[in-house]
Amino acid sequence: NNSGYFGALIGRYGNRIAKGRFTINGVDYQLAQNNAENSLHGGLKGFDKVVWQAEKLDTPEGPALKLTYTSKDGEENYPGTLRCEVIYTLTNNNELKIQYTAETDKPTFVNLTHHSYFNLKDAGASDILGHELMIKSDKFTPVDKGLIPTGELKPVAGTPFDFKKPTAIGARVESDDEQMKFGKGYDHNWVLNRQGKDLELVASLYEPTTGRFMELLTTEPGLQVYVGNFLDGTNKGKGGTAYQHRTGLCLETQHFPDSPNQPDFPTTELQPGEKYTQTTVYR
């Protein structure tokens, strides 16, 4: 029942689709507009709100959980029956490895992601402003007031979005930059500097008081960073901790928001006979 997508597996389309509309092969589709006039994280009953079949696996890498779900043709008004499999592995190398696959019987759009909030200091008892974030990215996708990408790929240089060197999240989160005002802080997609299709290190997070350090690897072209701008203490977590403003941050590996309506963005269209794959590692 919570609205924060805490720890959730997100689909059929992570992030926003403008006005909840897209077109495939000349057919227009209207999705639920559950985030102002836009569609967010799969609609009213996205993949975070359905029951997945769960199977325990013992793998050479470590213990794993295989989750499977079939999203029927027309569910949340998306075309095509989409068969999804997601495997979470807690590896012997202290990693949380997430492997996603999906197949469809009709052309459709797919963008699966993971929505855990991280606080490497004290599990959400205090804010994450001292965490130092590094992102291997020269560009980000600016948004309009509704947080929909304008289509531009803007250089991060000279902006609050330059995290090529580890920088405290709180250093520029309150800047007068128009983009920061639109998101009420960081709630944006970075265009990752990637060499190929393989798993690559794209970001890291460091908490200086505890010395905890996390690296992020992915096969995806984008990274949505959200720093808990809309947390307000109404959601309580482990130990009864009330999650206040900016007490956690999300590092959501993904394709870019609104890709179905942005022809210049990497495509999220999946055709019958093709297989969607995505791998992300938090270590």
Side-chain angles (χ1 to χ4, degrees):
N1 293 320
N2 76 60
S3 58
Y5 299 99
F6 293 116
L9 202 173
I10 302 292
R12 181 178 301 195
Y13 198 96
N15 219 307
R16 293 170 176 86
I17 295 177
K19 297 184 170 63
R21 293 180 201 153
F22 60 75
T23 302
I24 295 184
N25 296 340
V27 179
D28 296 331
Y29 294 88
Q30 178 65 59
L31 310 172
Q33 292 164 289
N34 62 322
N35 183 247
E37 64 178 7
N38 305 313
S39 180
L40 176 69
H41 292 336
L44 298 174
K45 191 178 180 181
F47 286 4
D48 59 301
K49 295 181 178 69
V50 299
V51 178
W52 294 64
Q53 297 301 307
E55 180 186 346
K56 189 171 76 168
L57 302 178
D58 290 309
T59 79
E61 286 188 285
L65 183 71
K66 183 168 94 170
L67 299 167
T68 52
Y69 179 68
T70 298
S71 176
K72 293 177 181 175
D73 183 22
E75 183 177 310
E76 284 292 328
N77 221 27
Y78 284 90
T81 295
L82 190 75
R83 291 178 174 82
C84 306
E85 179 181 293
V86 180
I87 298 176
Y88 288 87
T89 307
L90 192 61
T91 78
N92 302 319
N93 296 322
N94 203 27
E95 301 167 327
L96 175 63
K97 183 177 185 179
I98 309 173
Q99 298 163 284
Y100 310 74
T101 57
E103 294 178 284
T104 184
D105 61 359
K106 281 186 193 175
T108 192
F109 290 110
V110 185
N111 188 28
L112 305 182
T113 190
H114 179 70
H115 207 289
S116 272
Y117 289 72
F118 293 95
N119 184 320
L120 304 184
K121 185 178 183 181
D122 52 22
S126 64
D127 67 53
I128 43 77
L129 299 178
H131 286 53
E132 295 171 8
L133 178 65
M134 184 281 293
I135 307 172
K136 289 187 176 179
S137 171
D138 295 321
K139 295 176 181 175
F140 75 106
T141 52
V143 293
D144 62 18
K145 286 181 181 177
L147 302 182
I148 296 295
T150 61
E152 180 188 3
L153 303 183
K154 186 175 181 179
V156 299
T159 77
F161 296 88
D162 188 347
F163 284 93
K164 284 184 285 187
K165 293 179 181 176
T167 304
I169 288 163
R172 299 169 303 202
V173 75
E174 298 292 350
S175 77
D176 282 339
D177 187 277
E178 182 182 54
Q179 284 296 308
M180 300 297 284
K181 290 179 177 176
F182 286 164
K184 294 184 169 54
Y186 295 111
D187 191 3
H188 294 76
N189 169 69
W190 272 254
V191 180
L192 297 172
N193 296 349
R194 288 179 37 76
Q195 306 307 313
K197 292 187 176 180
D198 294 335
L199 196 62
E200 288 183 40
L201 176 70
V202 296
S204 68
L205 190 65
Y206 176 64
E207 203 292 297
T209 63
T210 62
R212 291 190 183 118
F213 179 66
M214 183 175 77
E215 292 180 315
L216 176 61
L217 300 89
T218 191
T219 58
E220 291 295 274
L223 175 66
Q224 183 84 10
V225 177
Y226 169 59
V227 297
N229 306 312
F230 297 100
L231 297 179
D232 60 6
T234 55
N235 287 303
K236 288 188 178 177
K238 293 176 184 175
T241 300
Y243 295 140
Q244 306 290 348
H245 189 230
R246 296 189 180 138
T247 51
L249 70 112
C250 303
L251 300 168
E252 302 160 65
T253 54
Q254 57 170 21
H255 273 60
F256 306 168
D258 198 36
S259 292
N261 299 309
Q262 302 276 359
D264 292 335
F265 285 2
T267 184
T268 53
E269 190 167 339
L270 183 68
Q271 298 284 345
E274 296 177 343
K275 181 176 269 194
Y276 168 93
T277 61
Q278 203 256 79
T279 302
T280 291
V281 174
Y282 300 94
R283 71 180 180 199

